[in-house]
C-alpha cells in the first residue's frame, strides 16, 4: 500500500509537470501562430489584390476572345459565300465550254453534210436565238456577280476600318492603364523618398541638439578656465608681494611656501591655458560641424518640399486619370442601360475631381503641368458594342 501511495504521488507530480509543460507548449504554439499570421498578413493582402486583378484581366480577356470568335465566324461566313460564288462562276464557265464543244461538233457535221445545211438553216437560226438569249442572261448574271463582289469588298473594307478603330481605341485604353500604373509606382517611390528625407531631417535635428549641448558645455568650460586664469593672474602678484614681505622679515619658511604656491599657480595656469586652447579648437570644430549639419538639414527640408510637390503632382494626375476612367465607364454603363452603376461611377469621378482640385489649389498647379495627360478616355465595353459611325465619332471626340 505504501508503494502504491508513493507511485500515485509520483504519478500526480508527473501529471502536474506534464500539464505545466503542455500549458507552456500551448502558449508557445499560440505565439508562433500569431507571429506567422502577422508575418504573412501583408502577403495575404497582396495575394487578394493580385487575385482580384487576375479576375479582372481574365474577364477582359474573355470579352476580347468572344469578340475575336465573332469576327472569325463572320469571316468564315464571308469565305463560304465567296466559295459559293466562285463555284457558281466555275459552273457557268464550264457550261460555256460544253456549249462551245457542242457547236464545234455540229460545225464539223455541217461541213460533212453540206447538203443538209440549207434544210437545217431555220433550225440553226432558232438555236442561235436561244444561244443569244442565253448569252444575254449570262452577261446579266455576270454583272450581278460583279456587283455582289463589289459590295462584299466594301463590307470587308468597312470591317477592316472597324477593326482598326477598335484597335486604336483599345490601345488608348491600355495606354491609360499603363499611365495609371506608372503614376502609382512613381507615387510609391516619391512617398519612400519623402520618408527617407524626413528621417534625415529628424537625425539632423537630433544631431544639432546634441552639438548644441556639447557647445554649451565647452563654452561653460572655457568661461570657467578664463575666470580661473583671471584669479591666478591676480593672485600671483599678491603672492610675490607676500614673498618679499616674508623674505624681508627673514621668514624663509613662509617665503618658500609662498614661492611654491606661486609656482604651482603658474603651472596650473599653463595647464588651464592648454586645456582652454584645446576646448577652443574643439568649439571651432563643433561650430563647423554644426554649420555642416544645419546646411544638410536645410537641403533635406528643401528636398522634402520638392519631393512632396512631385508626390502631389503624381497623385493629382492619377486622380484625374481615375476621374476620366470613371466617366468613360459611366458612359458605357448608360449606353447599356445600367443606371445604378452609372450613378456610382459618377460619384467616384466627382470624388476624384474634388480631391484633385484640393491638391491643385494647395500646390497651385497649372494646366500646362498636365498637358501630356490623357483626358478623354473611352470604355472597353463601349468600344466592343458600337458600330462604325459611332466608333468614328468616338475616335474623333477623344484624344486618340
Amino acid at each position: 500500500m505504501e508503494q502504491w501511495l508513493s507511485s500515485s504521488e509520483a504519478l500526480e507530480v508527473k501529471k502536474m509537470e506534464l500539464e505545466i509543460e503542455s500549458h507552456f507548449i500551448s502558449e508557445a504554439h499560440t505565439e508562433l501562430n500569431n507571429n506567422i499570421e502577422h508575418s504573412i498578413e501583408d502577403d495575404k493582402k497582396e495575394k487578394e489584390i493580385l487575385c482580384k486583378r487576375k479576375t479582372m484581366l481574365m474577364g477582359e480577356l474573355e470579352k476580347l476572345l468572344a469578340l475575336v470568335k465573332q469576327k472569325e465566324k463572320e469571316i468564315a461566313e464571308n469565305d463560304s459565300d465567296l466559295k459559293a460564288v466562285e463555284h457558281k462562276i466555275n459552273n457557268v464557265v464550264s457550261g460555256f465550254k460544253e456549249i462551245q464543244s457542242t457547236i464545234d461538233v455540229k460545225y464539223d457535221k455541217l461541213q460533212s453534210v453540206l447538203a443538209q445545211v440549207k434544210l437545217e438553216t431555220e433550225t440553226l437560226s432558232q438555236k442561235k436565238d436561244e444561244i443569244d438569249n442565253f448569252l444575254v442572261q449570262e452577261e446579266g448574271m455576270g454583272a450581278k456577280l460583279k456587283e455582289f463582289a463589289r459590295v462584299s469588298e466594301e463590307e470587308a473594307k468597312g470591317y477592316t476600318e472597324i477593326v482598326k478603330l477598335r484597335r486604336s481605341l483599345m490601345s488608348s485604353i491600355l495606354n491609360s492603364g499603363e499611365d495609371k500604373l506608372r503614376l502609382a509606382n512613381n507615387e510609391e517611390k516619391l512617398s519612400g523618398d519623402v520618408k527617407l528625407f524626413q528621417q534625415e531631417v529628424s537625425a539632423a535635428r537630433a544631431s544639432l541638439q546634441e552639438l548644441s549641448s556639447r557647445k554649451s558645455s565647452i563654452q561653460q568650460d572655457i568661461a570657467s578656465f578664463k575666470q580661473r586664469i583671471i584669479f591666478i593672474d591676480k593672485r600671483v602678484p599678491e603672492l610675490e608681494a607676500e614673498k618679499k614681505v616674508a623674505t624681508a622679515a627673514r621668514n624663509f619658511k613662509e617665503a618658500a611656501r609662498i614661492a611654491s604656491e606661486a609656482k604651482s599657480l603658474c603651472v596650473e595656469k599653463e595647464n588651464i591655458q592648454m586645456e582652454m586652447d584645446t576646448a577652443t579648437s574643439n568649439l571651432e570644430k563643433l561650430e563647423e560641424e554644426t554649420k555642416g549639419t544645419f546646411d544638410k538639414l536645410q537641403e533635406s527640408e528643401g528636398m522634402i518640399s520638392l519631393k512632396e510637390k512631385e508626390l502631389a503632382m503624381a497623385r493629382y494626375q492619377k486622380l484625374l486619370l481615375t476621374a476620366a476612367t470613371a466617366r468613360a465607364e459611366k458612359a458605357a454603363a448608360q449606353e447599356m442601360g445600367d443606371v445604378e452603376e452609372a450613378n456610382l461611377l459618377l460619384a467616384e469621378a466627382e470624388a476624384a475631381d474634388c480631391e484633385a482640385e484640393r491638391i491643385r489649389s494647395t500646390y497651385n498647379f497649372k494646366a500646362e503641368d498636365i498637358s501630356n495627360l490623357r483626358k478623354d478616355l473611352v470604355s472597353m465595353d463601349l468600344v466592343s458594342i458600337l458600330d462604325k459611325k459611332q466608333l468614328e465619332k468616338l475616335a474623333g471626340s477623344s484624344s486618340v
Side-chain angles (χ1 to χ4, degrees), residues 131-297:
I131 291 172
D132 290 339
N133 291 332
F134 182 74
L135 287 174
V136 170
Q137 292 177 0
E138 291 301 319
E139 286 177 357
M141 186 174 291
K144 290 181 180 179
L145 288 175
K146 288 181 180 179
E147 180 64 20
F148 181 75
R150 184 187 63 78
V151 172
S152 299
E153 184 179 0
E154 290 179 355
E155 289 181 354
K157 288 181 179 179
Y159 288 134
T160 303
E161 291 177 0
I162 289 174
V163 170
K164 287 182 179 179
L165 286 171
R166 285 181 175 159
R167 282 181 178 175
S168 178
L169 291 169
M170 288 182 178
S171 175
S172 173
I173 294 170
L174 293 175
N175 288 336
S176 66
E178 291 175 358
D179 289 342
K180 189 179 292 184
L181 180 61
R182 175 181 56 79
L183 289 171
N185 292 334
N186 192 29
E187 180 181 353
E188 183 179 357
K189 178 182 177 299
L190 289 172
S191 179
D193 291 342
V194 169
K195 289 181 180 179
L196 183 64
F197 283 119
Q198 286 175 343
Q199 291 175 358
E200 291 182 358
V201 166
S202 298
R205 287 177 177 168
S207 178
L208 282 176
Q209 290 180 352
E210 181 183 356
L211 291 173
S212 177
S213 177
R214 289 168 56 189
K215 179 180 177 181
S216 177
S217 176
I218 292 174
Q219 286 175 340
Q220 290 177 357
D221 291 341
I222 291 174
S224 177
F225 291 152
K226 287 181 178 179
Q227 290 179 355
R228 184 62 179 171
I229 289 174
I230 291 172
F231 170 77
I232 291 173
D233 289 341
K234 182 179 178 182
R235 180 60 179 161
V236 168
E238 293 177 352
L239 289 174
E240 290 293 334
E242 292 177 0
K243 176 184 173 184
K244 290 180 180 179
V245 171
T247 302
R250 304 185 64 82
N251 189 354
F252 299 112
K253 185 177 181 180
E254 180 65 15
R257 184 191 67 78
I258 292 172
S260 176
E261 182 179 354
K263 184 177 180 181
S264 176
L265 288 175
C266 290
V267 172
E268 181 183 357
K269 178 182 177 181
E270 291 178 357
N271 292 333
I272 290 174
Q273 187 65 49
M274 292 174 62
E275 290 180 2
M276 189 170 69
D277 292 341
T278 301
T280 302
S281 176
N282 291 336
L283 182 61
E284 291 175 355
K285 292 179 181 179
L286 275 177
E287 288 177 348
E288 292 178 358
E289 187 176 354
T290 301
K291 184 179 181 302
T293 304
F294 183 74
D295 292 341
K296 185 178 180 181
L297 174 63

Side-chain angles (χ1 to χ4, degrees), residues 165 169 375-378 382 386 389-400:
L165 286 171
L169 291 169
K375 301 180 181 65
D376 299 324
L377 302 180
V378 292
L382 194 61
L386 296 180
K389 290 183 178 180
Q390 291 172 323
L391 287 172
E392 288 176 346
K393 182 179 179 181
L394 186 62
S397 63
S398 67
S399 58
V400 177

Side-chain angles (χ1 to χ4, degrees), residues 36 38 75 78 105 107 212 279 282 285 293 334 336 352 356:
I36 292 173
H38 180 71
I75 292 172
N78 189 73
V105 171
Y107 179 76
S212 177
N282 291 336
K285 292 179 181 179
T293 304
Q334 286 179 334
M336 292 184 287

